[in-house]
Amino acid sequence: MQVHTGKRLVSLTQDKQEISVRFEDGSTDSADLLIGCDGLHSAVRQQLVPGAKKRYAGYTCWRGITSSQPSNFPTTLATESWGRGDRFGIVPLSKNRIYWFACLNAPREQDPAMRQLGLPALKTRFASYHPPVLDVLERTPADALLWNDIVDLEPLSTYSWGRAVLVGDAAHATTPNMGQGACQALEGAAVLVAQLSRHPLAEALQAYNRLRLPRASGIVKKSWQLGKIAQASNPLGVWLRDHLLPLVPPSVNEKQLEGLLGIELPEISFPTSAEILT
Ligand SMILES: Cc1cc2nc3c(=O)[nH]c(=O)nc-3n(C[C@H](O)[C@H](O)[C@H](O)COP(=O)(O)OP(=O)(O)OC[C@H]3O[C@@H](n4cnc5c(N)ncnc54)[C@H](O)[C@@H]3O)c2cc1C
């Protein structure tokens, strides 16, 4: 098998025998199967389902990694704190660093006011939050910041069309509220490899759809709803959320987590890179 890097797919065509792709540099290639794993803005998906809808969630996200951590910082506890139309998440990392995210409601995508925020404005915005939020922001170097609007993909009804199949964000980009985007991409890849190693192509893709569609679509929907609750800004809604959610018994949350994490993935053995390249 040949691996080409640094190529950008622009179009594809397929018939009963093969699928062919054209790259931005004018080169072409063909194969039995095309796996479109080219992310939220997937060119493969645009060719196959031009009507697929990306949805702006109504909030944007600044992220960063600190270069140190406060003393007595609990290194095994990740937290997310909800305000009115904003929230702040803290996730301890190795080597005394902390990953954090700040989600803020914003009326439109690529909002210039949000783009400009940066660390000083984030510190002002989150000044009323509890410790160590400000401390975490203060320990973040300005060049360790990332900014992304939160956008998902309205669930599709299939992930495969003939000899083309979508995996990861290309198939089911989700809001990050359940921390599942990359996890679902990995699950999808594992399921696809297992089915391809067991069945002829058409059956393998059918099985992939059957196994992946309900799970990935369910996560996209739940995550969207969770985001609405976490980013609530209406005072009554926020009051109800803050007073009712603590009443939910831990067993309910545990059951939900079991459904999310207690999944049996197929056993697969990946070829080594040396095997791929021979
Ligand atoms: C704010 C935020 C927080 C997140 N938090 C989490 C989290 O806590 N946990 C989690 O699991 N996930 C999280 N995610 C989601 C996670 O980042 C994505 O789900 C994951 O990166 C998807 O992987 P992917 O390989 O499908 O797509 P991508 O990572 O987008 O990779 C797509 C690749 O395709 C390439 N490509 C694009 N177009 C073309 C083309 N035309 N031709 C060739 N190549 C192309 C790109 O260069 C890229 O390398 C978060 C996302 C955001 C925005």
Side-chain angles (χ1 to χ4, degrees):
M1 184 174 122
Q2 261 190 313
V3 177
H4 305 281
T5 57
K7 299 266 179 182
R8 178 158 284 272
L9 179 143
V10 287
S11 64
L12 64 93
T13 52
Q14 60 174 317
D15 57 28
K16 283 203 172 129
Q17 275 72 48
E18 62 177 13
I19 183 158
S20 305
V21 294
R22 194 165 60 79
F23 297 103
E24 204 173 47
D25 61 8
S27 61
T28 58
D29 206 348
S30 50
D32 294 331
L33 174 67
L34 173 68
I35 302 174
C37 46
D38 49 348
L40 169 66
H41 305 291
S42 168
V44 176
R45 188 185 65 237
Q46 275 162 33
Q47 297 274 309
L48 297 164
V49 242
K53 276 196 197 121
K54 284 179 269 182
R55 306 182 294 193
Y56 172 53
Y59 44 97
T60 196
C61 186
W62 281 88
R63 290 180 280 176
I65 294 181
T66 65
S67 48
S68 61
Q69 66 184 31
S71 52
N72 302 323
F73 185 77
T75 53
T76 52
L77 185 67
T79 61
E80 187 170 306
S81 307
W82 294 354
R84 275 192 191 173
D86 51 35
R87 66 185 136 140
F88 200 92
I90 293 180
V91 183
L93 300 177
S94 60
K95 298 183 185 157
N96 291 332
R97 294 163 312 156
I98 300 166
Y99 162 69
W100 58 263
F101 54 90
C103 289
L104 304 104
N105 287 357
R108 57 178 182 276
E109 271 179 271
Q110 297 299 303
D111 194 316
M114 289 294 152
R115 179 192 294 279
Q116 283 169 10
L117 275 185
L119 278 171
L122 284 170
K123 282 183 211 160
T124 309
R125 174 78 181 241
F126 288 94
S128 65
Y129 270 55
H130 57 83
V133 169
L134 269 189
D135 199 354
V136 164
L137 287 172
E138 257 147 31
R139 287 167 189 269
T140 306
D143 62 358
L145 279 182
L146 254 186
W147 177 57
N148 295 97
D149 281 330
I150 301 302
V151 178
D152 82 352
L153 183 69
E154 195 172 272
L156 300 174
S157 55
T158 180
Y159 298 148
S160 71
W161 298 261
R163 293 180 172 277
V165 62
L166 298 177
V167 175
D169 273 15
H172 42 64
T174 178
T175 51
N177 305 305
M178 293 164 72
Q180 280 292 305
C183 300
Q184 288 308 302
L186 292 168
E187 270 188 44
V191 170
L192 181 60
V193 169
Q195 299 313 314
L196 287 170
S197 67
R198 283 171 203 170
H199 307 291
L201 185 59
E203 281 167 45
L205 297 184
Q206 256 179 23
Y208 170 72
N209 275 318
R210 195 181 63 247
L211 293 166
R212 290 294 303 149
L213 267 165
R215 178 160 167 84
S217 301
I219 286 171
V220 169
K221 285 178 196 160
K222 255 194 212 150
S223 182
W224 183 268
Q225 290 159 358
L226 193 56
K228 293 287 165 212
I229 298 171
Q231 292 295 135
S233 58
N234 165 294
L236 177 63
V238 170
W239 188 90
L240 285 171
R241 176 193 77 187
D242 293 352
H243 286 81
L244 293 182
L245 271 188
L247 304 179
V248 175
S251 58
V252 172
N253 290 332
E254 277 157 26
K255 210 167 167 205
Q256 294 216 343
L257 262 185
E258 258 171 48
L260 185 64
L261 306 179
I263 180 173
E264 289 280 325
L265 282 174
E267 292 243 337
I268 43 172
S269 59
F270 287 102
T272 62
S273 49
E275 283 165 336
I276 291 174
L277 293 170
T278 49

